[in-house]
Amino acid sequence: MPVEIDIARVAHLARIALTPEELETYSAQLLDILEHAERVQALPTEGVEPTSHPLAMVNGFRPDEIGPCLDPESFLSQAPDTEDSRFRVPRIL
Amino acid sequence: MSDLADLTITEAGKRLRSGDITSVDLLDAVTRRASVTESHLHAFLTLDGEGARASAERADADLAKGTDHGPLHGIPVALKDNMCTIGVETTASSKILKGWKPPYDGTAVARLKAAGAVITGKTNLDEFAMGSSTENSAFGETRNPWSTDHVPGGSSGGSAAAAAVGSAFGSFGSDTGGSVRQPAALCGVVGMKPTYGLVSRYGLIAFASSLDQIGPFSRSVEDSVALLGATAGWDRYDATSIKGPVPNFGGSLTTGVQGLKIGIVKELMGEGIDPQVLAATIAVADKLTDAGAHVVEISMPSTEYALSAYYLIAPAECSANLARFDGVRFGHRSTVEGTTEDMMAHSRAEGFGPEVVRRILLGTYALSAGYYDAFYGQAQKVRTLVRNDFTSAYAQVDVLISPTSPTTAFRIGERAVDPIAMYYSDVCTIPSNLSGDPAISVPIGLDDEGLPIGFQIMAPALGEEVMYQVAAAVERLVEFDQRPALATSEVAPV
Amino acid sequence: MTAWEAVIGLETHVELSTKSKMFCSCPTDFGDEPNTACCPVCLALPGALPVPNEEAIAGIVKIGLALECDINESSLFYRKNYFYPDLPKNYQISQYTFPVCEHGTLDVDVNGEPTVVGITRVHMEEDTGKSSHIGDGGGRIHDARHTLLDFNRAGVPLVEVVTEPDIRSAEQARAYAAELQRIVLSLGVSDARLEAGSMRFDANVSVRPVGETKLGTRTETKNVNSLRSLQRAISFEIDRQIQVLEDGGSIVQETRHWNEDTGATTSMRVKEESEDYRYFQDPDLLPLEVTAAWQDEIRSTITALPAERRVAIIEQGVDRETAVILVDSDELSGLFAAALGDGVPARTVALWLTGDVVAYLRRNEVELSSTGLTSEHLAVLGRMVDSGDLSSSAAKEVLIAVLDGDGGPGEIADDRDLLQVSDTGAIEEAVDAVLADNADALERIRSGDMKPFGFLVGQVMRHMGGKADPSVVRSVLEEKTTDSR
Ligand SMILES: [Mg+2]
Ligand SMILES: [Zn+2]
């Protein structure tokens, strides 16, 4: 398939603020890489199940038990901005 | 050898237990070595002198009381800086995490501590383990101990260089597409990637979750077994870790290869592989034949598509894994005015380096509506074909062999401008990540520039024992005992 | 004038009341102190990994089974990617293709009119953290200066129940929501408190002309935190959409916010971008396998569902409305069930419980458990009415006294001299005496004029001091006025 990239939309979805020049550079590089990646489309894969996990295991549950929590100070002290033991972010709208 | 820093872990352990030396002596030796080599190599981002000394002293005290935590007791080791260490800065070589001190230890780290290992510091890597040269570090590149004009490989270049030069007795990296094995090859040390799920990923800063595995670097195969042994086994904090007893990895180290069936991967022995690497690989294959193994050629046709599939799967997973770096709870926050969304987008733009941005964009695109099936979906099917190739190969042979890296170490800057050329560095290592199987790189010699050549041995899932069996045989057959000049001569710090 | 039809689908989020969170061992039951129930996993610190809570999976399977869903033996966790500060990983672990449960139904009844609401899917996911918007707008996001985040709730197991667009009125929507709440409560998997947000409804509403088969453009209404406001919000939204269309406008596909105070929905999303969640299977999690054997094990823990229990009660002669109230209260239905037995009038006891007892509790602001009313009391009282020892009005008096803690029914009735006389001998004497005094009345009756009969009954009752069982009086009187001619 011909590759098309709306790079500004991709950058927005990924929440990375890029300048127009950067967008252009990345767009060109992505096209290059995708041209190679397109090789995967050459392989016939009719009836082939996708693999998303290398080993055939299931569930991997934990029992419903309470374990220790972190001391809030141990992570709040690492945060860019906090207020009243909560993480503070700028306005949302 | 006169310097303690050049001992293997096995040798150092024997002398510790004989009371001849202490853990503090071993720590002093690697610290001295680092003080000479670091200015040339920049293998470490953080050296935790105080913490290391405290644990070396504790190891000595324990041993004096008769408490022995096993093969790593009192042994100084280094960790890739994408492994979370409580209270010790962990950056993944990214500006976005500069200064971050995790409030917890990853499982592998906790197990190493419990095994009495002395953690000396955190080593350099390509940012978020994305790269094959350790040039993509926000804090400056690491150099190859054999030639400082060359890259050490990557992404675990710092750990490879530290093990090679003796600023650690062993070290740990993470291998997503070859990030332990390829730098091990380029630095002339042993590096292995365990079966997916054998070592817990809890506390390893994720790059591509279905591919990442923590693995050790060492100067001998026997040491590799000890390092892996301390970290392996089911972990309640990693749903993808394998339940059940841990295999006896080192059970056949001295068995030899008599009667073993070994497949040499046809698709990894041709175009694109450096002639000297090819020749060295064939020479080792011949030695294995001489030692009684049946070496046959095995064709794995989907191998040539593995790289392309990898460069869709890994970025897709990373695009989600790295979404948490948003300037809200930890790490860099932009000072640009605006909404939370603006803050996030600018924090990420300022905090991530270009390779990371490239892969996040690539992965975001590959997952986005309208392109999923063509790219990500198809790549996952190719992954199935790669696994099928391995399955049918292992129906015929016990292990597979190939070069680890298509070339020896390349020059710094040489591939930095060409992402695709850089990606090709992992062509031999990626298939085992896609299949989830174990693989190891063993040094087998130097090229005519004096740069190390690595030899890869791949085995089926949980086939670490036979993998190590062949690796130990290769180690004995090639008798590779050269060391980088930096390790053996007193080079003045610059 | 066009006739309009509303098409409604509901998405319900139910927080499960497991001990620990969905993917980490932090407690789901936390206090008011922010960020005290957090760990690397639910804060999405670098390196942390999710490990699924087995009990939560059992919980969603329970809900699925109760909604008569197909349970997928193999299902998958996906990452739903979107950036929002209350979502620590900036993706939510959820399900996409292959949810745990699909294709179920829920029967609801509005004023005796039954409707089957199709359940599209029931899937497992995790809750977000809590945002507090700080500014002059009293917590409103629109004029907030900044926002504070507490991740105590982040990672609490969340089950999402999605219906087909089968609902046609606000009343039906409310009935569906109420029944779903009853089911979840009876399964014991959630406290399902709407006002506390442990059960939350989003309503997808559209309208179309009656007869039209294509769906109209829908809106999604959020922020309803009671059954009543769900009904009001949907009613409002239906009326609003009809108004817009009748005025020649068109409906914008958007998320709308229900405002309880103004009784109106308002547009919530300032900028509307098409969502692209980039769903992909979460590589940190393995496929979920819910084997047939495990399903059976879970099924065996499900006691009768509210609908079944209502039917059983209705079969005892109790009306539907009373049965609904009984089943909605474990305490009342527990007492009711325990009181039933030989000679206990089910309908009478049910009416006492749902009427007099509930009113008493409300009036006195007390809990049933603190009154000392037992099923034994109810059974005794019921039998006394059944046997005619107590009139129904006297029974109510006794019931209140029992609730007041004055003693057992027999004792109270005795003390207060409320027992009816049904001893035929005493009544016969009284009848004889009254007939002797009222010969003319007797004469008229015997000649076929039944008018004085009621008068004679009254006389006998008075003679007995009001404690005779009137039906016994009647039959004795009848006998004597017809027999001895
Ligand atoms: Mg949801
Ligand atoms: Zn937690």
Side-chain angles (χ1 to χ4, degrees), chain B residues 140-480:
Chain B
E141 77 275 358
T142 294
R143 290 167 181 263
N144 191 306
W146 298 81
S147 162
T148 53
D149 295 336
H150 288 76
V151 303
S155 64
S156 314
S159 281
V165 84
S167 50
F169 285 89
S171 56
F172 284 86
S174 61
D175 190 314
T176 305
S179 282
V180 169
R181 289 161 289 157
Q182 183 259 14
L186 271 49
C187 288
V189 292
V190 175
M192 78 84 65
K193 180 199 89 78
T195 302
Y196 183 88
L198 187 59
V199 177
S200 169
R201 293 180 294 116
Y202 188 70
L204 171 69
I205 299 177
F207 163 17
S209 312
S210 75
L211 303 162
D212 295 343
Q213 271 295 288
I214 289 171
F217 292 95
S218 59
R219 294 193 292 271
S220 79
V221 171
E222 193 179 11
D223 285 2
S224 183
V225 171
L227 292 162
L228 175 62
T231 51
W234 178 74
D235 176 27
R236 56 193 287 214
Y237 295 108
D238 178 355
T240 63
S241 79
I242 299 171
K243 288 194 174 167
V246 175
N248 177 17
F249 313 123
S252 307
L253 288 186
T254 57
T255 307
V257 293
Q258 179 73 46
L260 276 189
K261 285 193 189 146
I262 297 176
I264 187 159
V265 181
K266 182 178 153 218
E267 286 76 10
L268 299 177
M269 292 297 289
E271 208 190 329
I273 309 293
D274 176 89
Q276 291 188 61
V277 172
L278 214 50
T281 308
I282 291 167
V284 173
D286 289 344
K287 284 184 178 173
L288 287 167
T289 306
D290 293 345
H294 304 290
V295 179
V296 295
E297 192 178 73
I298 292 277
S299 175
M300 298 181 62
S302 51
T303 303
E304 58 175 309
Y305 299 94
L307 188 65
S308 301
Y310 173 85
Y311 275 98
L312 292 170
I313 293 168
E317 292 185 9
C318 100
S319 71
N321 283 333
L322 270 61
R324 67 186 60 191
F325 299 92
D326 60 3
V328 174
R329 285 147 294 120
F330 49 80
H332 173 73
R333 175 180 289 192
S334 172
T335 54
V336 168
E337 289 285 316
T339 62
T340 285
E341 183 178 309
D342 298 330
M343 181 278 282
M344 288 180 174
H346 284 278
S347 299
R348 288 163 64 77
E350 293 164 14
F352 291 142
E355 181 62 28
V356 174
V357 171
R358 194 149 46 230
R359 296 204 198 185
I360 291 175
L361 294 177
L362 180 58
T364 304
Y365 174 81
L367 288 174
S368 62
Y371 301 99
Y372 180 95
D373 290 338
F375 290 115
Y376 187 73
Q378 177 72 358
Q380 286 204 317
K381 291 180 181 175
V382 172
R383 188 171 185 179
T384 306
L385 297 178
V386 171
R387 290 180 65 200
N388 291 348
D389 272 3
F390 274 107
T391 306
S392 50
Y394 291 130
Q396 301 163 64
V397 296
D398 298 301
V399 296
L400 293 164
I401 56 173
S402 77
T404 308
S405 163
T407 66
T408 54
F410 40 95
R411 287 182 181 276
I412 286 172
E414 188 184 318
R415 295 184 193 171
V417 289
D418 183 354
I420 291 165
M422 184 71 86
Y423 295 171
Y424 193 73
S425 308
D426 295 328
V427 68
C428 302
T429 46
I430 277 172
S432 303
N433 294 93
L434 291 175
S435 69
D437 298 334
I440 191 167
S441 179
V442 182
I444 54 169
L446 301 177
D447 70 2
D448 56 16
E449 279 187 89
L451 295 167
I453 299 171
F455 182 87
Q456 180 174 232
I457 301 145
M458 299 168 265
L462 295 175
E464 272 82 0
E465 183 173 349
V466 66
M467 178 201 76
Y468 275 131
Q469 178 185 344
V470 177
V474 169
E475 188 178 50
R476 285 191 300 271
L477 290 169
V478 299
E479 293 183 309
F480 177 77

Side-chain angles (χ1 to χ4, degrees), chain A residues 4 40 49 51 78 90-91, chain B residues 101 333 340 365 378 384:
Chain A
E4 261 175 55
V40 302
E49 285 294 313
T51 295
Q78 302 280 307
R91 67 198 157 84
Chain B
K101 292 183 177 166
R333 175 180 289 192
T340 285
Y365 174 81
Q378 177 72 358
T384 306

Side-chain angles (χ1 to χ4, degrees), chain C residues 21 24-26 37-39 41-42:
Chain C
K21 292 186 181 179
C24 64
S25 58
C26 292
C38 297
C39 74
V41 180
C42 53

Side-chain angles (χ1 to χ4, degrees), chain B residues 4 7-23 26 63 68 70-75 169 220 222-223:
Chain B
L4 290 180
L7 296 177
T8 64
I9 291 172
T10 317
E11 292 161 350
K14 271 186 201 136
R15 292 186 55 184
L16 266 180
R17 284 169 188 78
S18 75
D20 171 16
I21 55 168
T22 64
S23 175
L26 294 174
L63 210 52
D68 186 340
L72 296 189
H73 189 114
I75 304 294
F169 285 89
S220 79
E222 193 179 11
D223 285 2

Side-chain angles (χ1 to χ4, degrees), chain A residues 9 12 15 52-53 57 59-62 64-67 69-70 72 75 83 85-89 91, chain C residues 19-21 24-25 35 38 51-54 83 132 146-149 273 276 281 286-289:
Chain A
R9 179 172 158 73
H12 173 71
R15 293 298 186 275
S52 52
H53 196 272
M57 305 193 297
N59 293 341
F61 290 142
R62 41 174 281 274
D64 184 24
E65 286 164 7
I66 295 173
C69 298
L70 288 172
F75 56 85
E83 185 179 314
S85 297
R86 287 172 291 177
F87 298 93
R88 182 180 159 141
V89 293
R91 67 198 157 84
Chain C
K19 291 200 275 291
S20 62
K21 292 186 181 179
C24 64
S25 58
N35 291 308
C38 297
V51 182
N53 184 338
E54 181 165 19
F83 282 81
S132 308
H146 63 269
T147 292
L148 301 178
L149 298 156
E273 60 183 66
D276 185 347
Q281 198 185 326
L286 302 171
L288 273 177
E289 190 183 78

Side-chain angles (χ1 to χ4, degrees), chain C residues 207-434:
Chain C
V207 297
R208 62 185 174 191
V210 170
E212 173 65 66
T213 50
K214 262 193 11 239
L215 289 173
T217 304
R218 67 183 166 85
T219 61
E220 185 178 5
T221 297
K222 291 183 184 288
N223 194 47
V224 287
N225 45 23
S226 69
L227 293 174
R228 187 170 161 269
S229 49
L230 177 71
Q231 184 174 345
R232 286 178 71 206
I234 292 173
S235 272
F236 176 89
E237 191 54 23
I238 292 170
D239 292 347
R240 185 192 70 85
Q241 290 189 16
I242 292 172
Q243 194 61 54
V244 168
L245 293 171
E246 287 191 339
D247 291 349
S250 56
I251 304 301
V252 181
Q253 183 167 344
E254 61 183 354
T255 303
R256 297 182 68 86
H257 185 91
W258 167 251
N259 188 319
E260 188 67 45
D261 299 331
T262 61
T265 67
T266 48
S267 182
M268 194 159 89
R269 291 274 157 86
V270 168
K271 66 178 172 192
E272 199 59 36
E273 60 183 66
S274 66
E275 302 280 9
D276 185 347
Y277 291 123
R278 289 157 287 135
Y279 279 102
F280 74 105
Q281 198 185 326
D282 192 330
D284 286 332
L285 294 162
L286 302 171
L288 273 177
E289 190 183 78
V290 182
T291 60
W294 192 21
Q295 287 176 42
D296 288 344
E297 197 186 311
I298 295 168
R299 191 179 283 110
S300 73
T301 66
I302 301 177
T303 48
L305 293 170
E308 276 172 70
R309 290 162 57 202
R310 283 195 300 262
V311 168
I313 290 173
I314 290 167
E315 280 170 358
Q316 312 261 6
V318 178
D319 65 288
R320 188 185 152 76
E321 204 181 326
T322 304
V324 168
I325 300 171
L326 268 185
V327 168
D328 278 357
S329 161
D330 284 345
E331 268 186 321
L332 294 181
S333 53
L335 273 183
F336 174 75
L340 294 190
D342 247 2
V344 180
R347 185 165 176 280
T348 306
V349 173
L351 289 169
W352 284 342
L353 281 168
T354 58
D356 306 84
V357 172
V358 168
Y360 176 91
L361 299 176
R362 207 169 290 151
R363 197 166 57 239
N364 295 288
E365 291 175 0
V366 290
E367 295 292 316
L368 184 57
S369 55
S370 64
T371 61
L373 177 70
T374 65
S375 58
E376 185 62 25
H377 293 151
L378 288 167
V380 169
L381 202 55
R383 281 195 192 97
M384 286 170 81
V385 171
D386 190 55
S387 66
D389 289 350
L390 211 54
S391 70
S392 61
S393 58
K396 291 190 179 198
E397 190 184 333
V398 173
L399 180 60
I400 301 302
V402 171
L403 287 164
D404 278 336
D406 293 351
E411 185 190 342
I412 292 167
D414 228 24
D415 285 357
R416 304 194 179 185
D417 210 8
L418 293 171
L419 287 171
Q420 293 183 136
V421 177
S422 45
D423 167 11
T424 329
I427 291 173
E428 271 176 16
E429 274 176 34
V431 169
D432 288 343
V434 168

